[in-house]
Amino acid sequence: CKPSYGPMQRLFAFGVIGKASQKGRLNPQDPSTEQVRNMLLDMFVNSHLSASGNLQDVPSFVCEKYMQALANVALYSSSWPQGWEQLQPNLFQVGRGSRTHATLALTFFRNVSEALQSDDVSTLGAPRRKSLQQHLKASSQDLFQFLAGAVVSWYPGAPELERAALLLITELAGVLTLKNFLAADVDSF
């Protein structure tokens, strides 16, 4: 999935990766799956989604499909968070670097939340789903702090970021308890 590929080629490639992962065709123990995980994370960390290195040059539909592929690989082709420990810290750290990165990080967590609500148990598996929900609950403070920092402090008034934040909160409402939201003091942002 080279940055020199056109938007439609990248859209197709990310779609294939995401669907293959969701359908169990990317075995978490396979070394080639590790390469796919590393490639996807590297694209985020080093802004390799764009040939120019500027994520604003990448059409939003490609970014959306990319984050969907990354979320699917995290959900179905890894044992994230334990088996891919650098993923979440990298999303938060790099997300502070630009509003586009912040938007992508929020989109990742929205895609995870959507999958936890819409995926049938036979695909994800009840133990895996429960583990992921527990992880989101346990890390909700960090997630809400990142969200508040991005929307209120670092990049105020960025419509695409505000939209990503609202969509994420909507999806998190189906995964987290009211207690998680109250603990985060969401009214403060």
Side-chain angles (χ1 to χ4, degrees):
C1 215
K2 299 176 184 175
S4 60
Y5 288 171
M8 295 312 290
Q9 291 169 308
R10 286 182 285 155
L11 181 74
F12 178 75
F14 293 138
V16 168
I17 291 169
K19 193 53 87 173
S21 182
Q22 188 178 20
K23 296 296 182 186
R25 294 188 184 110
L26 293 178
N27 183 333
Q29 286 75 34
D30 188 335
S32 64
T33 302
E34 173 103 13
Q35 288 177 322
V36 170
R37 286 194 303 259
N38 291 336
M39 175 200 65
L40 289 172
L41 186 56
D42 182 64
M43 292 176 106
F44 179 77
V45 170
N46 296 307
S47 300
H48 289 158
L49 274 173
S50 164
S52 70
N54 184 352
L55 288 178
Q56 292 182 355
D57 294 343
V58 181
S60 61
F61 63 90
V62 173
C63 288
E64 181 74 31
K65 190 56 80 175
Y66 162 71
M67 291 316 288
Q68 188 178 46
L70 183 62
N72 280 354
V73 168
L75 290 168
Y76 303 102
S77 300
S78 78
S79 55
W80 174 74
Q82 296 81 12
W84 198 5
E85 294 174 5
Q86 77 274 24
L87 176 62
Q88 191 163 329
N90 277 328
L91 289 171
F92 288 152
Q93 180 183 355
V94 176
R96 288 177 164 85
S98 76
R99 73 173 190 254
T100 305
H101 280 99
T103 302
L104 290 174
L106 294 179
T107 302
F108 169 83
F109 289 104
R110 184 195 85 216
N111 285 324
V112 168
S113 297
E114 284 176 349
L116 289 174
Q117 296 175 76
S118 65
D119 184 60
D120 70 326
V121 177
S122 64
T123 303
L124 194 53
R128 177 80 171 127
R129 178 190 305 273
K130 185 174 183 175
S131 169
L132 289 163
Q133 286 173 328
Q134 288 173 340
H135 172 72
L136 283 180
K137 288 176 183 176
S139 63
S140 63
Q141 280 295 109
D142 293 335
L143 182 54
F144 283 128
Q145 285 177 351
F146 176 80
L147 188 150
V151 174
V152 177
S153 303
W154 311 324
Y155 312 106
E160 71 280 3
L161 187 55
E162 291 171 353
R163 179 181 179 276
L166 287 172
L167 292 172
L168 172 59
I169 288 173
T170 301
E171 292 303 326
L172 283 173
V175 177
L176 301 178
T177 64
L178 181 58
K179 192 178 199 178
N180 295 115
F181 280 93
L182 294 175
D185 191 22
V186 292
D187 290 335
S188 68
F189 54 88

